[in-house]
Amino acid sequence: MRQNAPTSKPGPRGILSVQVIVDAALRLLDDKGPDAMSMRGIATELGVAPNALYTYFPDKAAVLRAVVDRLIGEHAVAALAATERPWRQRIHDLALELRAGLLRHPGAAGLVLGAPMDGPQALALGERLLDVLAEAGLDQDDAARASYLVIVYLLGFVALEAAEVDPTRPAPPEDERVASRQAGFDAVSAAEYPRTAASAGTMARYITTEQFAWGLDRLLDGLQP
């Protein structure tokens, strides 16, 4: 697997490092959205010339992959390692923690969907998830397929949630988002879309932790050997 791994060479005047650059990229992501995360934008944020960044990263894609790996690595591996808890609970803890963490950076949803999850943190997460699914009784092939299914469910859910909020602010509280969605459904014509109007209260809550856990439970039910 080809990876553009960052190096650890000392930077200009000793002010740069992989961590400093990723921190700056995350600040731009949170303050201005993903479009601001160019090499020039990151360099401006740090007060250095753009070519100073190339000591650490070969290109913008490598920076974005490092940001994704940071966001993945901030969460969840510890949840999967808690072997005193049942395997289903560990996957629940992983999914809930990672969802909450990504929603603190709504602009990251597109990055996570668009960048290969092949950094060291993502690989560690994947390995631990395979361990837990093997513990659940799945064979090697089924564990690999199930791992992909869990990640796709998680990232797809987060992407749809993040699409409804400002990418430069953490997602508002769930009750505020539900109220906004409910107002939209209230405008739907019951005569033209009767089933949608009748289900509006449930549909308004699609972006809640309750709905996320409901779907995750049914996904895990289907993985039981």
Side-chain angles (χ1 to χ4, degrees):
M1 183 183 301
R2 181 178 178 273
Q3 296 187 45
N4 290 328
T7 66
S8 57
K9 299 176 184 177
R13 297 185 299 280
I15 65 170
L16 291 185
S17 68
V18 167
Q19 179 176 335
V20 166
I21 293 169
V22 172
D23 287 346
L26 270 172
R27 286 196 301 274
L28 285 173
L29 175 68
D30 291 341
D31 293 344
K32 300 180 181 179
D35 291 343
M37 295 171 60
S38 65
M39 295 298 267
R40 183 172 298 279
I42 296 168
T44 299
E45 175 74 11
L46 291 169
V48 300
N51 61 6
L53 305 183
Y54 293 98
T55 300
Y56 304 88
F57 294 95
D59 51 32
K60 175 184 174 181
V63 177
L64 298 185
R65 289 165 81 167
V67 169
V68 168
D69 207 48
R70 166 78 68 82
L71 293 170
I72 296 297
E74 283 181 344
H75 313 285
V77 174
L80 293 179
T83 55
E84 73 281 0
R85 299 171 72 81
W87 71 270
R88 284 183 64 124
Q89 188 59 55
R90 277 180 275 161
I91 293 178
H92 254 277
D93 292 346
L94 156 72
L96 290 169
E97 187 175 338
L98 190 51
R99 170 178 169 258
L102 290 174
L103 288 176
R104 287 195 287 271
H105 307 277
L111 298 183
V112 174
L113 289 174
M117 292 177 60
D118 59 0
Q121 299 284 358
L123 289 173
L125 172 63
E127 185 72 11
R128 298 291 78 76
L129 185 54
L130 289 172
D131 284 342
V132 173
L133 291 166
E135 179 186 322
L138 276 67
D139 65 26
Q140 179 175 299
D141 287 344
D142 283 348
R145 292 174 186 272
S147 173
Y148 181 72
L149 184 60
V150 169
I151 295 299
V152 168
Y153 174 76
L154 166 65
L155 296 184
F157 198 102
V158 170
L160 289 174
E161 285 192 83
E164 298 186 7
V165 301
D166 184 341
T168 64
R169 298 177 56 196
E174 282 186 359
D175 58 349
E176 292 182 19
R177 291 188 284 144
V178 169
S180 176
R181 288 174 58 84
Q182 184 68 59
F185 281 114
D186 287 345
V188 172
S189 167
E192 195 170 359
Y193 306 104
R195 291 187 183 275
T196 299
S199 301
T202 299
M203 292 179 173
R205 298 187 60 78
Y206 278 172
I207 48 75
T208 62
T209 302
E210 174 192 18
Q211 172 67 37
F212 181 74
W214 185 93
L216 182 61
D217 278 333
R218 279 145 186 81
L219 186 157
L220 296 178
D221 286 344
L223 298 181
Q224 292 278 174

